[in-house]
């Protein structure tokens, strides 16, 4: 008859499930081509807690990124621009500070959508110093 030892317990095999799933996800990403479809399928297999952990990791990696705003070297001097356009965020912020309404901005720039302005304001809020410096630099030029 086995003797139970006080203070020792067997590890719960279910406690390693998140670790094993993340290891599987890493292996899949390394061995298979990374497609959004593959990632979405793997994501659907994760528990809510695992999804929350993954979301935190992605948020840390994105830093101050805002959807709909691109920063590309060689485009508008590398300044943050509205995606699909060459309209810099600092220009929209400057126009807004001068009293231009959102409706007037949308009329002046037909390629813009209302959500582009929301994204621009969010980016400007997260990067106030950068936008302020760009506005000052362009006013001085």
């Amino acid at each position: 008859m086995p003797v139970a030892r006080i203070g020792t317990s067997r590890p719960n095999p279910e406690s390693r499930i998140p670790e094993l799933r993340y290891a599987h996800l890493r292996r899949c990403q390394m061995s298979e081509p990374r497609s959004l479809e593959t990632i979405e399928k793997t994501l659907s297999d994760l528990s809510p807690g695992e999804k929350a952990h993954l979301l935190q990791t992605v948020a840390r990696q994105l830093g101050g990124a805002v959807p709909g705003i691109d920063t590309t070297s060689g485009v508008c001097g590398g300044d943050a621009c509205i995606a699909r356009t060459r309209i810099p965020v600092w220009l929209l912020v400057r126009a807004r500070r001068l009293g231009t309404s959102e409706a007037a901005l949308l009329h002046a720039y037909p390629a813009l959508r209302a959500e582009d302005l929301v994204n621009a304001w969010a980016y400007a809020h997260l990067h106030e110093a950068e936008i302020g410096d760009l506005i000052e630099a362009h006013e001085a030029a």
Side-chain angles (χ1 to χ4, degrees):
M1 176 180 250
V3 177
R5 294 188 181 147
I6 297 175
T8 62
S9 64
R10 296 170 98 164
N12 179 354
E14 290 184 10
S15 67
R16 291 207 51 210
I17 289 175
E19 179 184 323
L20 296 173
R21 282 188 183 166
Y22 290 126
H24 172 71
L25 180 60
R26 284 192 298 273
R27 279 193 309 276
C28 287
Q29 289 177 346
M30 291 177 187
S31 63
E32 298 175 11
R34 290 185 190 186
S35 71
L36 192 53
E37 185 178 303
T38 303
I39 293 170
E40 285 175 347
K41 183 180 181 314
T42 304
L43 185 62
S44 67
D45 294 337
L46 298 177
S47 72
E50 292 167 330
K51 288 176 184 175
H53 178 76
L54 183 60
L55 182 60
Q56 289 174 340
T57 302
V58 170
R60 275 193 303 275
Q61 290 178 1
L62 287 174
V66 174
I69 305 296
D70 291 334
T71 304
T72 307
S73 60
V75 177
C76 293
D79 296 344
C81 292
I82 302 298
R84 324 167 321 281
T85 75
R86 290 178 175 252
I87 303 169
V89 172
W90 70 263
L91 180 72
L92 297 171
V93 171
R94 179 66 178 133
R96 187 180 193 194
R97 288 181 184 173
L98 291 171
T100 307
S101 70
E102 289 184 357
L105 287 171
L106 293 171
H107 181 61
Y109 297 97
L112 283 181
R113 302 176 303 210
E115 79 178 84
D116 294 327
L117 294 179
V118 171
N119 293 337
W121 309 150
Y123 183 90
H125 179 73
L126 289 171
H127 302 273
E128 287 182 50
E130 172 193 338
I131 297 299
D133 291 346
L134 287 168
I135 289 172
E136 284 182 31
H138 284 86
E139 284 179 344

